[in-house]
Amino acid sequence: MSAIRYPRVKLLLLMALFAAPLVVAWVMVTWRVAIPEARTAHGRLAPEVPALAEWPLLAPATGEGWRLAFDCRLDCADQADRWWRLHRALGREAPRVERLRIVAAGAPGQETLPGERLARWRMPPAWSEPGALWLLSPQGEVLLGYSPGAPLREVMDDLQHLLRVNPERDLASN
């Protein structure tokens, strides 16, 4: 009789080993144990910033996809290089994002870097400060705002998260 019972115990232990993760997951979901309530973005939500179509720009900013818009009134060359490097670090996701460099109305002509568009403020709005960065949706809505000198890693984390949770639509199937 003991020769039959021992393999049954092994089988029950093996079944318990495979069922344990399911039970633990069920307990975590049911009683909300060890589950983070929300993910926090590094940038700040910017409800005071209007949609891109309402920005006081001399020419409307056109384009598709996600945008990194930055106010380039001070130290423009360094800012443009900084955001160009972040854009390059996106790798295969880089074509989904474009950069919008916004300069003062009277600023001399500037050469744009690849993946970048140039726009000019008619008059800088009160909600903008030199060096600020905004992350815009494909519809032109401002999602996140960053203060001047925001760490690249934080902007990169937020942008990669948005690109991951908003996969590119397959244009061939439309």
Side-chain angles (χ1 to χ4, degrees):
M1 188 80 162
S2 65
I4 294 172
R5 206 162 93 186
Y6 183 68
R8 287 183 185 163
V9 170
K10 280 183 12 181
L11 180 63
L12 289 174
L13 287 174
L14 190 60
M15 288 171 58
L17 179 71
F18 287 111
L22 295 173
V23 172
V24 169
W26 179 79
V27 167
M28 288 175 69
V29 169
T30 303
W31 288 299
R32 306 291 299 166
V33 176
I35 296 178
E37 291 301 317
R39 183 186 187 279
T40 305
H42 298 289
R44 68 185 184 288
L45 294 175
E48 74 279 357
V49 179
L52 181 61
E54 300 169 20
W55 287 15
L57 299 175
L58 289 176
T62 59
E64 295 180 8
W66 298 90
R67 290 185 191 96
L68 283 173
F70 58 100
D71 189 332
C72 197
R73 286 181 277 167
L74 297 175
D75 202 17
C76 198
D78 287 342
Q79 282 187 52
D81 183 61
R82 181 176 191 218
W83 301 124
W84 177 76
R85 288 176 190 278
L86 178 130
H87 193 199
R88 296 280 298 175
L90 289 172
R92 66 185 175 123
E93 296 290 345
R96 295 179 59 195
V97 179
E98 77 175 21
R99 292 179 323 285
L100 180 63
R101 183 193 315 190
I102 307 173
V103 297
Q110 297 184 3
E111 195 173 307
T112 59
L113 296 170
E116 182 176 69
R117 293 182 186 263
L118 186 67
R120 296 182 185 282
W121 290 120
R122 203 174 299 136
M123 184 174 144
W127 45 261
S128 175
E129 62 180 303
L133 172 78
W134 302 277
L135 179 56
L136 289 84
S137 71
Q139 294 78 26
E141 299 293 323
V142 177
L143 301 176
L144 295 172
Y146 299 90
S147 58
L152 286 173
R153 183 76 248 165
E154 292 180 1
V155 176
M156 183 74 151
D157 287 345
D158 290 344
L159 187 55
Q160 284 178 327
H161 178 73
L162 283 171
L163 293 173
R164 185 173 46 253
V165 298
N166 295 290
E168 187 173 21
R169 288 181 287 154
D170 185 11
L171 298 177
S173 67
N174 289 343

